Amino acid sequence: MNAFLYPICAAISLLALGLKIITLRTCRSSPTQLALIGNFFFLSVTFVVSTPVVWAAVSEAVGIVNFSGLLTQSSVILSAACQQLVLLHLSHEPSTAWRKSIPRLAGLALILVLMVSLFFQSTSMEEQPNDFALTKAIYYPAYLSVYLIGHAVNQVDVGIMGWRYSKVAPTPWLRRGLRLVAIAMPCALIYTACRAADIVAGALGATGHPWEPLAQLAIAGTVAKTIGWILPDWGRYISRVWEGIDRRAAYLTLTRLHRSLTDQVPTAVLTLDAGTDLRTRLYRTMVEVRDAQWFLRLWIPPEVAAEARRRGEAAGLKGSALAASIEAAQLHAAIQAKMADLPPAKNPSTPRAIEPPDIAEELAFQRQLAKAFRAQKAVDATAVQEHTA
């Protein structure tokens, strides 16, 4: 699995590193940004070198058997250090962040010193590009134990800090990214548990090969964390794409309602140029829906609103959903009355059941109105079919 999994993770990490470097060119550098670059760099080293072909080449170039194992696992620890620096600088003033980082960095430095020392005491004479951690668990448990302790403690720390700060982060995409970072923490714990089980299995004269695929898949959880770290930079582009898709969907939804109303009130329609942008078309559609609605007020039977409210409340509708149901019933009744040329003796003073406070709320409500109007037409069509049958 290493031959496929690690190159994929390496490609994602390198892509994240490249994107972060591009972002850094267009904004002021800061400890947070530099620490993120460090995080992606060390992740890239971890996964690139963990690829079996690269693993053997690196160890051979250095001249130390399984040196790639020390390099990759040290990079994991250094990546965790960078992640802690990111979260500390996000949630504290610079002076406080550096003060709080000192004991963490000191602990990680101690972990690295112990790892290096134990590695050279336990270096074997055979290269292990496919199962280095597993083999080390069997024959050299001290080295792996130190690595696992450092890895687990720091991943838990990162997960907790990420979750806490996500609750107060100033931007939506930063909150989402930090939640994703925190949610990925269980993958690190699963990996740690698998490696700890390897040590126990080695002490009992067995191996951890049965659960090795689970350990490798848990490593892939790093991909989710990597995505979480880059979301704040690139989330706004996702928002723009989504806004375009949502605006198109809103326009298509309102167009059906608009057509039904303006067929009866053609004077409400303003002809737009062929090249008019979608935002302007959507806004004009909203205005024309309301203009047509006010004109059709003269054809709304006075009892429709009360009956629609009664039926809506009986169906459990509340708030804007109830208001949309009432307005849809009034519009449908008004169109029927106008088509039959049967104006009511009395009509309501307003066709509105709710007054949204801004354009965004107005658009959301009109989408509800369009759906309620379409549902009203469907109910009436069904009733006509049953009557004729």
Side-chain angles (χ1 to χ4, degrees):
M1 186 182 292
N2 289 0
F4 301 98
L5 178 62
Y6 288 139
I8 293 174
C9 293
I12 294 173
S13 299
L14 288 169
L15 177 61
L17 176 61
L19 293 176
K20 175 51 65 176
I21 292 174
I22 292 173
T23 301
L24 193 62
R25 291 176 57 189
T26 60
C27 66
R28 184 172 60 86
S29 62
S30 66
T32 301
Q33 299 292 336
L34 294 175
L36 275 174
I37 288 179
N39 170 55
F40 295 139
F41 171 77
F42 289 120
L43 281 178
S44 299
V45 170
T46 299
F47 290 121
V48 169
V49 177
S50 292
T51 303
V53 174
V54 180
W55 179 291
V58 170
S59 293
E60 182 179 354
V62 176
I64 300 175
V65 176
N66 282 323
F67 173 79
S68 295
L70 176 64
L71 177 59
T72 56
Q73 292 177 341
S74 297
S75 295
V76 170
I77 299 298
L78 292 170
S79 171
C82 292
Q83 292 174 26
Q84 289 180 331
L85 288 175
V86 170
L87 290 167
L88 287 171
H89 280 86
L90 283 175
S91 53
H92 297 90
E93 293 295 325
S95 58
T96 304
W98 285 118
R99 177 173 56 81
K100 287 181 174 292
S101 69
I102 290 175
R104 290 177 168 86
L105 295 178
L108 289 174
L110 177 60
I111 292 292
L112 288 174
V113 169
L114 289 173
M115 285 175 60
V116 172
S117 175
L118 291 170
F119 173 83
F120 284 106
Q121 292 179 33
S122 61
T123 296
S124 66
M125 298 303 294
E126 183 180 355
E127 200 72 50
Q128 300 289 339
N130 291 303
D131 56 0
F132 169 77
L134 186 58
T135 303
K136 288 294 180 184
I138 298 173
Y139 298 107
Y140 311 102
Y143 167 85
L144 189 60
S145 295
V146 171
Y147 166 67
L148 290 178
I149 290 172
H151 178 65
V153 169
N154 284 282
Q155 290 305 304
V156 169
D157 192 27
V158 167
I160 292 174
M161 285 196 296
W163 185 259
R164 287 177 177 172
Y165 187 64
S166 70
K167 298 178 180 179
V168 297
T171 63
W173 282 108
L174 180 56
R175 290 193 292 271
R176 293 166 186 150
L178 291 177
R179 289 191 189 112
L180 191 55
V181 167
I183 291 172
M185 180 182 65
C187 292
L189 298 182
I190 291 173
Y191 169 80
T192 303
C194 290
R195 291 291 174 244
D198 293 342
I199 296 175
V200 175
L204 297 175
T207 71
H209 284 92
W211 54 81
E212 183 62 12
L214 178 61
Q216 292 175 324
L217 289 175
I219 294 174
T222 306
V223 173
K225 184 176 291 186
T226 300
I227 294 173
W229 288 124
I230 63 175
L231 273 183
D233 289 327
W234 299 91
R236 62 180 182 272
Y237 298 107
I238 300 175
S239 293
R240 289 176 187 173
V241 172
W242 173 250
E243 286 171 4
I245 295 172
D246 190 57
R247 188 178 297 120
R248 172 65 62 179
Y251 180 71
L252 293 175
T253 298
L254 294 190
T255 296
R256 301 185 185 98
L257 174 64
H258 177 271
R259 186 181 301 113
S260 296
L261 301 186
T262 56
D263 281 348
Q264 305 301 319
V265 192
T267 55
V269 178
L270 176 66
T271 302
L272 299 176
D273 295 336
T276 303
D277 62 276
L278 180 60
R279 185 189 295 271
T280 301
R281 288 184 177 278
L282 177 59
Y283 177 74
R284 188 60 215 171
T285 298
M286 293 168 58
V287 172
E288 291 172 1
V289 164
R290 287 309 191 187
D291 288 346
Q293 184 179 22
W294 274 98
F295 179 88
L296 289 170
R297 175 183 67 87
L298 302 175
W299 297 88
I300 298 176
E303 68 278 4
V304 173
E307 176 62 19
R309 181 177 295 277
R310 184 189 65 77
R311 287 185 298 177
E313 290 176 345
L317 299 180
K318 297 179 180 179
S320 61
L322 178 59
S325 178
I326 294 171
E327 290 190 19
Q330 288 181 313
L331 287 171
H332 191 68
I335 290 173
Q336 289 182 321
K338 187 175 184 301
M339 292 176 66
D341 196 22
L342 295 173
K346 184 179 180 181
N347 44 64
S349 59
T350 176
R352 306 288 296 271
I354 193 174
E355 293 288 344
D358 54 43
I359 293 179
E361 292 292 330
E362 173 68 19
L363 175 58
F365 178 75
Q366 285 202 24
R367 294 177 78 168
Q368 286 183 299
L369 175 59
K371 293 177 181 178
F373 183 78
R374 188 166 64 251
Q376 181 74 37
K377 291 179 66 176
V379 168
D380 285 356
T382 301
V384 169
Q385 291 177 358
E386 292 177 351
H387 178 72
T388 55

